[in-house]
Amino acid sequence: MVSKRLSRLEGHRRKFMAVIDGTPECQRAVHYAGRRAKNSNGGLVLLFVIPEGDFQQWLGVEEIMRAEAREEAEAATAKAAQIVRENIGIDPEVVIREGSAAEQINAVIEEDRDIALLVLAAGSAKEGPGPLVSSIAGRAAAFPIPVTVLPDTLTNEEIDALS
């Protein structure tokens, strides 16, 4: 069970969270979440999760790999944040974690009690809509707050009209 959300209390504001994962569809999720945040005077949290288990090497190599993964995460989130600033006009919060995506999403939601909505976008690849969207559909990783899943066919203009 999730902690009580604080976003409606005085001194708090509702935040929307989007996951940055390098997929083309994550940009649609960021765009929608950013528009919803701006239109509701809320906030936007961009989360990047560095997958666990990628650093099982000798200590020196492990440290280099971890640093490179962190640099890639910082670059991806900085790019997404800049697009949000330029196109939507809000300044998002950036969170970078290491571990299982579902576990880290849940941890960030638990820690920031202003986060009220998780926004994901379905992919159009033949493998399926993407691992996070699939995990929700399969109920393997249900999240403790509402989740909005954008269809893969929406353009930014259509997203603007919906948000």
Side-chain angles (χ1 to χ4, degrees), residues 1 12 31 33-34 38 47 67-68 71 93 101 105 133 144 156:
M1 179 156 184
H12 294 269
H31 188 83
K38 181 170 182 150
L47 172 65
E68 288 174 351
E71 286 176 14
E93 297 174 41
I105 290 168
V133 174
N156 281 350

Side-chain angles (χ1 to χ4, degrees), residues 99-155:
S100 156
E103 288 174 10
Q104 293 306 315
I105 290 168
N106 281 315
V108 171
I109 291 168
E110 183 62 27
E111 291 165 15
D112 187 342
R113 294 174 51 197
D114 287 339
I115 297 174
L117 188 75
L118 173 61
V119 179
L120 302 173
S124 58
K126 62 182 176 183
E127 295 84 29
L132 288 175
V133 174
S134 295
S135 70
I136 294 168
R139 306 207 31 96
F143 297 106
I145 58 174
V147 178
T148 297
V149 179
L150 300 174
D152 66 339
T153 57
L154 292 178
T155 65

